[in-house]
Amino acid sequence: MKILVVNCGSSSIKFQLYSMPEKRVLAKGLAAKIGEEGSALEYHVGRNAYQVDRAIPDHGEGMKQILATLIGSEDAILDNLDEIGAVGHRVVHGGEEFTGSVEIGQAVLDSIERCSDLAPLHNPANLTGIRAAMRALPEVPHIACFDTAFHATIPKMGYLYALPYEVYKKYGVRRYGFHGTSHRYVAAQTAKLLGKAPEETNCITCHLGNGCSMAAVRNGLSVDTSMGLTPLEGLVMGTRSGDIDPAILFYLADKGYDMESLNKMCNKKSGLLGVSGISNDLRTLREKSDQGDSRAQLAIDIFCYRVKKYVGAYMAVLGRVDAICFTGGIGENSAEVRAAVCRGLEPLGAVLDPELNERRIGHEGDFGTKNSRVRLLVVPTDEEGVIATDTFDIVMQGKTYDGNQLLPVAD
Ligand code: AMP
């Protein structure tokens, strides 16, 4: 069966076509700058890559062009669209309503719409993509996979903020967590690498990319995570501050900043970019630091220190930690960041092998010494693969992944 995986942003549609159950990628691509000048469709089949510059006024047209490319281009991968058996969609926020992936019907669409209040930048774009794909492929099942679902097992003690309780009851203000599909994949893959059952594996997963989050995983299930009500909390990110004293916002409001500018400051102008004043991209900061820019180095240092603090916190949460796992553009590729995070963790049982760490760039495997009690792993993430697998399982076997399946949510 062929499954199309779609990840729709406000001005883009990423897609991958899989052959299942072997999870082989047949084609992938990106419709970018939708509704803007310079819109284009990128398409990759094997080693061949094409970019077609054409007007993509809206997501409906983007979806049509993607499907037309899959059947009609010189590197067409399908004879006709009937070969697509199902579509899997990434959805950012599932609120408290979704603890696993589900087939999309009207009730699910309504629920995703309700969750838009919690993720105004993401869910409306996801919904636009789902509706466009459902119009273009009306005969096949469409499945939603939620970024929040893996974190549904976090106990109340971990997800509730110490604000007045009615703020949770009335407005749903709590920790939801994100990047769940990535943390879930990395935790499951870690269990495989360790040769253990997932329900016997404890690990700390670090998703470090432009967006960054960590999860404490006990017996294969998320018990805490660094992102919160929104993806702003926790680690320092490319342009997001992560944890700050909330009183900073009241203080700055007193100085004349309005809501919109504070929101923009914390989400778009902070993090690596804010501290360095140069870039949100780690590679650029490394270059600038090598040329003597001290603020570029400071930004990297603050980034790594925050990750280390969360490692310590999650070690205390978990007690026994089998592995610390790194993924995402930075986690997979930056030996420097991994070294800075792990430096000093030796008394806690995590011992890095510097040579192995340098070699372990973008590949799965250990970068700790043979004697390291806590295994140190690079695990390249595969969110699209998880969405394809969930979609296949639901469509073919009626099997639904449910975040609560192994552990009752403690109340
Ligand atoms: P992502 O959002 O997962 O694509 O990650 C983007 C981040 O990964 C950016 O900060 C990049 O600078 C960083 N990154 C990607 N490749 C490398 C690399 N080879 N070395 C260091 N950082 C990298």
Side-chain angles (χ1 to χ4, degrees):
M1 179 196 256
K2 297 191 176 75
I3 285 177
L4 183 66
V5 172
V6 174
N7 178 357
C8 202
S10 57
S11 63
S12 68
I13 307 175
K14 263 197 225 161
F15 67 95
Q16 294 209 21
L17 184 71
Y18 282 86
S19 174
M20 298 299 286
E22 67 276 21
K23 220 164 83 172
R24 186 159 50 90
V25 178
L26 301 173
K28 62 181 177 179
L30 171 72
K33 294 199 173 175
I34 295 173
E36 298 169 23
E37 216 160 280
S39 56
L41 183 67
E42 256 178 52
Y43 180 58
H44 301 254
V45 177
R47 292 216 175 122
N48 297 341
Y50 309 90
Q51 174 159 327
V52 188
D53 299 319
R54 45 162 85 121
I56 311 177
D58 54 45
H59 288 77
E61 182 59 26
M63 207 60 227
K64 271 191 208 154
Q65 291 192 18
I66 289 168
L67 296 175
T69 310
L70 290 172
I71 54 171
S73 65
E74 63 180 279
D75 240 330
I77 204 85
L78 299 174
D79 291 328
N80 66 65
L81 292 179
D82 295 346
E83 290 175 51
I84 298 176
V87 184
H89 297 269
R90 176 185 183 210
V91 181
V92 166
H93 217 307
E96 289 191 322
E97 301 196 40
F98 298 103
T99 57
S101 303
V102 289
E103 183 165 351
I104 303 170
Q106 193 51 50
V108 170
L109 286 173
D110 292 345
S111 295
I112 297 174
E113 189 138 31
R114 271 198 298 280
C115 296
S116 288
D117 190 30
L118 293 164
L121 299 179
H122 295 101
N123 273 32
N126 299 153
L127 267 174
T128 307
I130 292 171
R131 291 200 170 105
M134 288 177 96
R135 271 195 305 275
L137 295 168
E139 305 296 334
V140 302
H142 291 252
I143 308 299
C145 303
F146 299 90
D147 265 17
T148 44
F150 181 60
H151 301 301
T153 45
I154 295 177
K156 205 164 196 171
M157 180 174 69
Y159 74 66
L160 209 61
Y161 296 111
L163 290 165
Y165 198 76
E166 58 269 24
V167 171
Y168 165 60
K169 283 315 246 183
K170 226 169 153 181
Y171 303 111
V173 171
R174 51 158 284 182
R175 175 182 315 288
Y176 291 96
F178 300 88
H179 288 147
T181 315
S182 177
H183 290 293
R184 178 180 149 205
Y185 173 80
V186 172
Q189 195 62 14
T190 295
K192 267 193 205 160
L193 291 170
L194 267 50
K196 294 176 76 151
E199 32 316 353
E200 287 167 5
T201 305
N202 288 0
C203 58
I204 298 172
T205 51
C206 312
H207 180 112
L208 309 179
N210 203 22
C212 301
S213 69
M214 288 171 58
V217 178
R218 177 182 289 132
N219 302 332
L221 301 172
S222 176
V223 293
D224 205 350
T225 193
S226 59
M227 284 177 168
L229 173 75
T230 75
L232 180 57
E233 192 181 348
L235 302 178
V236 174
M237 311 182 209
T239 61
R240 288 173 236 162
S241 61
D243 297 336
I244 58 167
D245 178 349
I248 293 169
L249 301 177
F250 316 141
Y251 180 78
L252 292 178
D254 248 5
K255 303 281 176 211
Y257 285 84
D258 63 13
M259 279 262 283
E260 203 185 324
S261 60
L262 289 172
N263 195 345
K264 199 165 173 196
M265 178 193 289
C266 293
N267 277 295
K268 304 257 181 224
K269 295 181 164 182
S270 296
L272 293 175
L273 172 67
V275 177
S276 69
I278 299 170
S279 171
N280 62 328
D281 192 296
L282 184 78
R283 283 166 297 190
T284 310
L285 296 186
R286 168 68 8 251
E287 277 170 34
K288 291 289 177 191
S289 167
D290 288 345
Q291 293 160 13
D293 190 302
S294 61
R295 261 174 55 197
Q297 188 56 49
L298 180 62
I300 299 174
D301 292 344
I302 294 174
F303 179 94
C304 297
Y305 180 64
R306 184 78 53 87
V307 177
K308 187 198 284 272
K309 282 219 285 195
Y310 270 90
V311 168
Y314 289 169
M315 280 183 148
V317 166
L318 294 173
R320 190 199 84 232
V321 176
D322 299 316
I324 304 172
C325 325
F326 288 76
T327 197
I330 295 174
E332 292 166 29
N333 297 303
S334 174
E336 174 197 8
V337 166
R338 294 195 299 260
V341 170
C342 297
R343 195 169 298 129
L345 296 185
E346 298 82 3
L348 300 174
V351 187
L352 177 139
D353 178 331
E355 231 174 85
L356 206 51
N357 185 37
E358 285 300 328
R359 273 195 277 138
R360 187 73 63 208
I361 292 184
H363 310 291
E364 187 173 274
D366 281 273
F367 64 94
T369 63
K370 282 218 169 64
N371 299 328
S372 180
R373 182 165 49 76
V374 177
R375 297 269 292 269
L376 296 174
L377 298 173
V378 170
V379 181
T381 196
D382 184 14
E383 291 161 284
E384 285 81 7
V386 172
I387 297 173
T389 304
D390 274 9
T391 302
F392 182 75
D393 285 350
I394 289 174
V395 172
M396 295 300 286
Q397 297 161 22
K399 206 169 77 180
T400 292
Y401 161 77
D402 185 337
N404 289 322
Q405 63 194 336
L406 294 172
L407 188 84
V409 176
D411 217 14

